[in-house]
Amino acid sequence: MTLRSSAEPLDRAYGLAMFDLDGVVYLLSNPVPGVPEAIGRAEAAGCQSIFVTNNASRLTSTVADSLRSMGIDCRDDQVVSSAQAAARAIADHCGEGAATFMTGSPAFRAALENEGLAIVDDPREAVAVAQGFFPTMQLKDLASATLAARRGAYWVVANLDATLPTPDGPMPGMGAYVKVVETALGRGPDVVAGKPRPTIFRAALERVPDARPLMVGDRPDSDIEGANALGIDSLLVFSGVVKPASALRLPPERRPTYLGWTAAELNNPQPEVTVEEPGAAHCEEWSVKLVSGTLTLSGKGDELSAWRALCAAAWSAVDAGAEFSDGLAAVGAEAESALTTA
Ligand SMILES: [Mg+2]
């Protein structure tokens, strides 16, 4: 995988943009500057939007409300949650109206009921067990999920996100609680609905079939890896958890097709990134060379294109077997300081 170019703006080259939410459209509850307007321009250019969230504890209509309050013109059915994907996975495997034991928020329950599943209160009666995060989760909920799954119920979890972003920093997420059940059972869930697994991407693609999709995300291990696994192109944005310097170290399965500071990059064409040989690449007026075991950047112009050249050079060098003792940290730090003082 290496970076590609697009002579057309991305919102003309692709018919569907699938947006991750936190770190892409907003940060906690503030919109990323310029992104709501960019989504409007993309829609006007003919690129439809779907918002894809691993959060199973909010109604999709609540998510859509908050997007509208940020100035994004979206309908409720443009939001796809891991709760909906989990419900679909159960209906597909266990049949319509399957007796399902659930632990999760009222929104998670609503998603299961909307799919026609019959919610049961006794884990012993369940043919499926659905586990979603909710803030008042108790030990008995984990024990009931364990009981249902041990008795053979089809075990579906909303996501494996290890942490949950909060104003006080990362707190244990769904993945941490799934580990508890997994430890008791000695095996993992039958299905993980959320990113990076394919279930949620397929649910999103079904909403706008036949359009060429582009995933827009900030997490290489979730948004980008999931898109790559399904052969979907992706735009990695630096408005969330990843800074450009750490993109240098991405393994092949987590490398995106395009890079952007924010999702507003969707409105732009993408310049050519050329790899001359492993460790040597250029983009616009920037070039990168592998000299005595390190990558050296030279040139001028758009800072994002410097990072495009650096990523292409680093990825090609690593793929050809080059080893960087510090995992390219020094190259990243040097480029960061050179680019901020330029
Ligand atoms: Mg995110």
PDB file of all heavy atoms in Angstrom, residues 20-26 195 216-219 222-223 240-241, ligand 1:
ATOM      1  N   ASP A  20     -15.939   8.396  10.098  1.00  0.00           N
ATOM      2  CA  ASP A  20     -15.865   8.136  11.525  1.00  0.00           C
ATOM      3  C   ASP A  20     -16.256   9.454  12.214  1.00  0.00           C
ATOM      4  O   ASP A  20     -16.187  10.521  11.602  1.00  0.00           O
ATOM      5  CB  ASP A  20     -14.430   7.738  11.888  1.00  0.00           C
ATOM      6  CG  ASP A  20     -14.221   7.683  13.383  1.00  0.00           C
ATOM      7  OD1 ASP A  20     -15.002   6.972  14.048  1.00  0.00           O
ATOM      8  OD2 ASP A  20     -13.299   8.349  13.892  1.00  0.00           O
ATOM      9  N   LEU A  21     -16.680   9.402  13.461  1.00  0.00           N
ATOM     10  CA  LEU A  21     -17.160  10.631  14.108  1.00  0.00           C
ATOM     11  C   LEU A  21     -16.108  11.305  14.982  1.00  0.00           C
ATOM     12  O   LEU A  21     -15.572  12.350  14.622  1.00  0.00           O
ATOM     13  CB  LEU A  21     -18.439  10.327  14.911  1.00  0.00           C
ATOM     14  CG  LEU A  21     -19.649   9.985  14.019  1.00  0.00           C
ATOM     15  CD1 LEU A  21     -20.855   9.634  14.874  1.00  0.00           C
ATOM     16  CD2 LEU A  21     -19.985  11.155  13.113  1.00  0.00           C
ATOM     17  N   ASP A  22     -15.789  10.690  16.155  1.00  0.00           N
ATOM     18  CA  ASP A  22     -14.895  11.380  17.075  1.00  0.00           C
ATOM     19  C   ASP A  22     -13.478  11.439  16.492  1.00  0.00           C
ATOM     20  O   ASP A  22     -12.929  10.419  16.071  1.00  0.00           O
ATOM     21  CB  ASP A  22     -14.882  10.681  18.447  1.00  0.00           C
ATOM     22  CG  ASP A  22     -14.411  11.629  19.546  1.00  0.00           C
ATOM     23  OD1 ASP A  22     -14.653  12.845  19.433  1.00  0.00           O
ATOM     24  OD2 ASP A  22     -13.797  11.154  20.508  1.00  0.00           O
ATOM     25  N   GLY A  23     -12.930  12.634  16.438  1.00  0.00           N
ATOM     26  CA  GLY A  23     -11.595  12.824  15.863  1.00  0.00           C
ATOM     27  C   GLY A  23     -11.625  13.170  14.389  1.00  0.00           C
ATOM     28  O   GLY A  23     -10.604  13.526  13.809  1.00  0.00           O
ATOM     29  N   VAL A  24     -12.824  13.039  13.789  1.00  0.00           N
ATOM     30  CA  VAL A  24     -12.951  13.314  12.352  1.00  0.00           C
ATOM     31  C   VAL A  24     -13.963  14.445  12.118  1.00  0.00           C
ATOM     32  O   VAL A  24     -13.636  15.474  11.529  1.00  0.00           O
ATOM     33  CB  VAL A  24     -13.385  12.045  11.579  1.00  0.00           C
ATOM     34  CG1 VAL A  24     -13.635  12.368  10.103  1.00  0.00           C
ATOM     35  CG2 VAL A  24     -12.323  10.963  11.723  1.00  0.00           C
ATOM     36  N   VAL A  25     -15.194  14.223  12.590  1.00  0.00           N
ATOM     37  CA  VAL A  25     -16.242  15.235  12.433  1.00  0.00           C
ATOM     38  C   VAL A  25     -16.235  16.170  13.641  1.00  0.00           C
ATOM     39  O   VAL A  25     -16.401  17.369  13.519  1.00  0.00           O
ATOM     40  CB  VAL A  25     -17.619  14.565  12.251  1.00  0.00           C
ATOM     41  CG1 VAL A  25     -18.721  15.613  12.160  1.00  0.00           C
ATOM     42  CG2 VAL A  25     -17.616  13.681  11.003  1.00  0.00           C
ATOM     43  N   TYR A  26     -16.046  15.584  14.822  1.00  0.00           N
ATOM     44  CA  TYR A  26     -15.963  16.407  16.030  1.00  0.00           C
ATOM     45  C   TYR A  26     -14.919  15.845  16.978  1.00  0.00           C
ATOM     46  O   TYR A  26     -14.458  14.700  16.827  1.00  0.00           O
ATOM     47  CB  TYR A  26     -17.324  16.517  16.729  1.00  0.00           C
ATOM     48  CG  TYR A  26     -18.037  15.210  17.007  1.00  0.00           C
ATOM     49  CD1 TYR A  26     -17.575  14.328  17.976  1.00  0.00           C
ATOM     50  CD2 TYR A  26     -19.187  14.868  16.300  1.00  0.00           C
ATOM     51  CE1 TYR A  26     -18.234  13.142  18.242  1.00  0.00           C
ATOM     52  CE2 TYR A  26     -19.857  13.665  16.551  1.00  0.00           C
ATOM     53  CZ  TYR A  26     -19.379  12.810  17.528  1.00  0.00           C
ATOM     54  OH  TYR A  26     -20.014  11.624  17.781  1.00  0.00           O
ATOM     55  N   LYS A 195     -16.103  -1.422  13.944  1.00  0.00           N
ATOM     56  CA  LYS A 195     -14.803  -1.313  13.275  1.00  0.00           C
ATOM     57  C   LYS A 195     -13.725  -1.889  14.171  1.00  0.00           C
ATOM     58  O   LYS A 195     -13.836  -1.759  15.381  1.00  0.00           O
ATOM     59  CB  LYS A 195     -14.486   0.173  13.007  1.00  0.00           C
ATOM     60  CG  LYS A 195     -15.406   0.848  12.016  1.00  0.00           C
ATOM     61  CD  LYS A 195     -15.156   2.346  11.971  1.00  0.00           C
ATOM     62  CE  LYS A 195     -15.630   3.028  13.204  1.00  0.00           C
ATOM     63  NZ  LYS A 195     -15.420   4.470  13.256  1.00  0.00           N
ATOM     64  N   VAL A 216     -13.283   7.766   5.755  1.00  0.00           N
ATOM     65  CA  VAL A 216     -12.552   8.909   6.299  1.00  0.00           C
ATOM     66  C   VAL A 216     -12.416   8.691   7.803  1.00  0.00           C
ATOM     67  O   VAL A 216     -13.422   8.681   8.527  1.00  0.00           O
ATOM     68  CB  VAL A 216     -13.304  10.234   6.020  1.00  0.00           C
ATOM     69  CG1 VAL A 216     -12.469  11.417   6.488  1.00  0.00           C
ATOM     70  CG2 VAL A 216     -13.640  10.365   4.537  1.00  0.00           C
ATOM     71  N   GLY A 217     -11.200   8.476   8.288  1.00  0.00           N
ATOM     72  CA  GLY A 217     -11.046   8.134   9.701  1.00  0.00           C
ATOM     73  C   GLY A 217      -9.765   8.664  10.298  1.00  0.00           C
ATOM     74  O   GLY A 217      -8.854   9.095   9.590  1.00  0.00           O
ATOM     75  N   ASP A 218      -9.711   8.636  11.640  1.00  0.00           N
ATOM     76  CA  ASP A 218      -8.506   9.102  12.336  1.00  0.00           C
ATOM     77  C   ASP A 218      -7.752   7.962  13.008  1.00  0.00           C
ATOM     78  O   ASP A 218      -6.661   8.175  13.517  1.00  0.00           O
ATOM     79  CB  ASP A 218      -8.847  10.183  13.380  1.00  0.00           C
ATOM     80  CG  ASP A 218      -9.596   9.625  14.577  1.00  0.00           C
ATOM     81  OD1 ASP A 218     -10.509   8.793  14.369  1.00  0.00           O
ATOM     82  OD2 ASP A 218      -9.274  10.000  15.721  1.00  0.00           O
ATOM     83  N   ARG A 219      -8.326   6.756  13.036  1.00  0.00           N
ATOM     84  CA  ARG A 219      -7.649   5.640  13.716  1.00  0.00           C
ATOM     85  C   ARG A 219      -7.191   4.593  12.699  1.00  0.00           C
ATOM     86  O   ARG A 219      -7.998   3.864  12.135  1.00  0.00           O
ATOM     87  CB  ARG A 219      -8.603   4.948  14.695  1.00  0.00           C
ATOM     88  CG  ARG A 219      -8.980   5.779  15.904  1.00  0.00           C
ATOM     89  CD  ARG A 219      -9.543   4.881  16.966  1.00  0.00           C
ATOM     90  NE  ARG A 219      -8.477   4.225  17.668  1.00  0.00           N
ATOM     91  CZ  ARG A 219      -8.114   4.526  18.917  1.00  0.00           C
ATOM     92  NH1 ARG A 219      -8.766   5.428  19.599  1.00  0.00           N
ATOM     93  NH2 ARG A 219      -7.118   3.904  19.482  1.00  0.00           N
ATOM     94  N   SER A 222      -8.383   1.010  13.362  1.00  0.00           N
ATOM     95  CA  SER A 222      -9.819   0.757  13.333  1.00  0.00           C
ATOM     96  C   SER A 222     -10.383   1.153  11.963  1.00  0.00           C
ATOM     97  O   SER A 222     -10.710   0.299  11.128  1.00  0.00           O
ATOM     98  CB  SER A 222     -10.463   1.560  14.471  1.00  0.00           C
ATOM     99  OG  SER A 222     -11.836   1.635  14.353  1.00  0.00           O
ATOM    100  N   ASP A 223     -10.433   2.465  11.699  1.00  0.00           N
ATOM    101  CA  ASP A 223     -11.028   2.966  10.455  1.00  0.00           C
ATOM    102  C   ASP A 223     -10.270   2.479   9.220  1.00  0.00           C
ATOM    103  O   ASP A 223     -10.865   2.021   8.243  1.00  0.00           O
ATOM    104  CB  ASP A 223     -11.014   4.503  10.455  1.00  0.00           C
ATOM    105  CG  ASP A 223     -11.676   5.084  11.700  1.00  0.00           C
ATOM    106  OD1 ASP A 223     -12.759   4.609  12.058  1.00  0.00           O
ATOM    107  OD2 ASP A 223     -11.094   6.013  12.302  1.00  0.00           O
ATOM    108  N   GLY A 240      -7.466  13.830  14.817  1.00  0.00           N
ATOM    109  CA  GLY A 240      -7.837  13.006  15.963  1.00  0.00           C
ATOM    110  C   GLY A 240      -6.650  12.435  16.693  1.00  0.00           C
ATOM    111  O   GLY A 240      -5.787  13.187  17.151  1.00  0.00           O
ATOM    112  N   VAL A 241      -6.575  11.101  16.775  1.00  0.00           N
ATOM    113  CA  VAL A 241      -5.586  10.466  17.650  1.00  0.00           C
ATOM    114  C   VAL A 241      -4.178  10.361  17.063  1.00  0.00           C
ATOM    115  O   VAL A 241      -3.237  10.116  17.798  1.00  0.00           O
ATOM    116  CB  VAL A 241      -6.026   9.038  18.081  1.00  0.00           C
ATOM    117  CG1 VAL A 241      -7.263   9.107  18.955  1.00  0.00           C
ATOM    118  CG2 VAL A 241      -6.265   8.128  16.893  1.00  0.00           C
TER     119      VAL A 241
HETATM  120 MG    MG B   1     -12.260   8.377  15.620  1.00  0.00          MG
END
